[in-house]
Amino acid sequence: MVELHSNFTADGERKFVDGMEPTHHAEHETIEITQGITDWSEVGFYIFTSERSGQGIQWLATTSAPASALP
């Protein structure tokens, strides 16, 4: 399964704080790709991006994570 998670910060921080980029009017997109392994387990792969005015699209991170549930 492929999912797209979108978040927009309408009123965020406007200045750098402790080395963190401003979040005002930032859009964050996460692409989530999951694959079931059994009826009770799956593995997910995530791609995190951010876009701010004048900055373009930036890759933030990728990660993978297993998940399971009690049958």
Side-chain angles (χ1 to χ4, degrees), residues 51-64:
E51 182 175 4
R52 289 181 303 280
S53 178
Q55 298 284 323
I57 298 172
Q58 296 179 318
W59 168 79
L60 300 178
T62 56
T63 188
S64 60

Side-chain angles (χ1 to χ4, degrees), residues 8-50:
F8 179 74
T9 305
D11 187 21
E13 188 63 53
R14 295 174 188 258
K15 299 177 184 175
F16 282 85
V17 176
D18 296 327
M20 297 287 290
E21 298 265 353
T23 58
H24 186 72
H25 286 178
E27 173 135 1
H28 296 105
E29 304 283 348
T30 301
I31 299 169
E32 175 183 357
I33 304 166
T34 57
Q35 176 64 49
I37 298 170
T38 66
D39 289 342
W40 51 270
S41 67
E42 68 181 23
V43 65
F45 179 73
Y46 305 88
I47 304 167
F48 301 96
T49 63
S50 179

